[in-house]
Amino acid sequence: MISNVRLLNSITDVDAQMKGVVVASGSHGGLYPAAVASRAGLRAVIFNDAGIGLDEAGIAGVKALAEVGMAAAAADAMSCHIGSADDMMAAGRISFANGVAARLGVVRGMTVAEAMGCMARADMPSRQLAKQEEARRDYDPPGAKEPVLLVDSASLVQAADRGRVIVTGSHGGLIGGDPSRALKTEARLAVFNDASFGKDNIGSSRLPALDGLGIAAVTVAHNTARIGDAASALETGMISARNSTAEALGCACGMTLKNAIRAIATC
């Protein structure tokens, strides 16, 4: 292993001891994870491209990091499991590199391990991305008994959100394959982005884990909603997968998420 490198299944696991290191993260490469990486003071980072998706949201953060001088790249979701830094290092292939990373020799098709070697030579970024605002907010469907919770990252879900309909911008893959990290509370319905499903259909692996807990869960198609953006999932997301608990609530593949939520939230 190259020195000064860390593997994180989720970028939200970063801590103050990692300032100045290069991180391979299983998180998607959207704006929220990029802001977390930047504000943690990392030297460089590689994310999963989550299939890139609507408005190229899966690599939007990788692009934005170039503006503050941080080398960043994304691994192809079909080459490695989203949510798993170990699989990224073992099998991941680069699909996109920002200009800072490209100048260090990172190119499309390179292994993630090779790219990490290149990025270990990166200078520290000159600035930091702004903190992402409005990452947690409420939506009131007409006639709903209580507001729907919108969170751009599932890391922002709290135990007190128990029993709510929760729309996240996060991918639907289990973090590090760990069922205990599927969701932080017992939601009435949990929504994720399918991140193109990716290698071994990992992008919907939270759904069966939550089904075992009696929690309804669905994914929205990555090309119908911007990953990392819960409001986008609500406005334009189309259900691409659902567990049996969600099916019992009337959720069906091809249904708009907004219509599914209106039906559930008013019951």
Side-chain angles (χ1 to χ4, degrees):
M1 175 68 68
I2 305 161
S3 61
N4 211 31
V5 164
R6 299 291 187 276
L7 305 184
L8 298 177
N9 291 325
S10 171
I11 196 64
T12 59
D13 294 335
V14 71
D15 61 41
Q17 304 304 313
M18 297 180 193
K19 185 175 182 179
V21 308
V22 180
V23 165
S25 169
S27 295
H28 65 80
L31 292 173
Y32 185 87
V36 172
S38 177
R39 298 186 69 78
L42 300 185
R43 181 177 301 275
V45 65
I46 300 179
F47 294 110
N48 188 293
D49 72 8
I52 300 181
L54 184 66
D55 297 332
E56 297 191 333
I59 56 172
V62 176
K63 292 180 177 180
L65 287 169
E67 300 171 9
V68 296
M70 181 184 280
D76 188 337
M78 296 305 299
S79 71
C80 57
H81 290 160
I82 197 165
S84 173
D86 285 339
D87 197 54
M88 173 185 282
M89 283 295 287
R93 293 274 176 175
I94 299 297
S95 61
F96 179 79
N98 69 14
V100 183
R103 287 192 289 275
L104 293 169
V106 180
V107 297
R108 183 176 181 176
M110 175 181 280
T111 68
V112 168
E114 290 169 335
M116 292 291 277
C118 294
M119 294 168 78
R121 304 193 303 270
D123 292 330
M124 285 295 293
S126 56
R127 305 187 311 281
Q128 291 184 346
L129 290 177
K131 183 178 180 180
Q132 289 289 295
E133 302 296 335
E134 302 247 326
R136 182 184 162 96
R137 52 211 181 277
D138 286 341
Y139 161 71
D140 290 291
K145 294 181 179 179
E146 65 175 333
V148 171
L149 176 62
L150 306 181
V151 287
D152 292 337
S153 170
S155 66
L156 301 172
V157 173
Q158 302 170 4
D161 298 322
R162 187 176 187 271
R164 298 189 67 180
V165 174
I166 303 173
V167 180
T168 84
S170 292
H171 64 80
L174 284 174
I175 307 299
D178 183 359
S180 71
R181 297 192 67 176
L183 195 67
K184 292 180 177 179
T185 196
E186 295 179 16
R188 186 176 185 196
L189 173 71
V191 180
F192 306 95
N193 190 293
D194 69 16
S196 76
F197 290 106
K199 180 182 176 183
D200 299 325
N201 288 322
I202 198 72
S204 62
S205 57
R206 294 195 209 219
L207 273 55
L210 292 171
D211 215 16
L213 299 173
I215 299 172
V218 303
T219 56
V220 295
H222 75 298
N223 57 356
T224 68
R226 292 184 295 274
I227 197 165
D229 186 340
S232 177
L234 178 69
E235 288 301 318
T236 62
M238 302 282 290
I239 295 176
S240 59
R242 78 279 185 269
N243 63 17
S244 59
T245 310
E247 184 179 11
L249 290 178
C251 296
C253 294
M255 177 183 286
T256 66
L257 179 64
K258 181 170 278 189
N259 284 342
I261 284 178
R262 281 175 178 163
I264 293 168
T266 55
C267 291

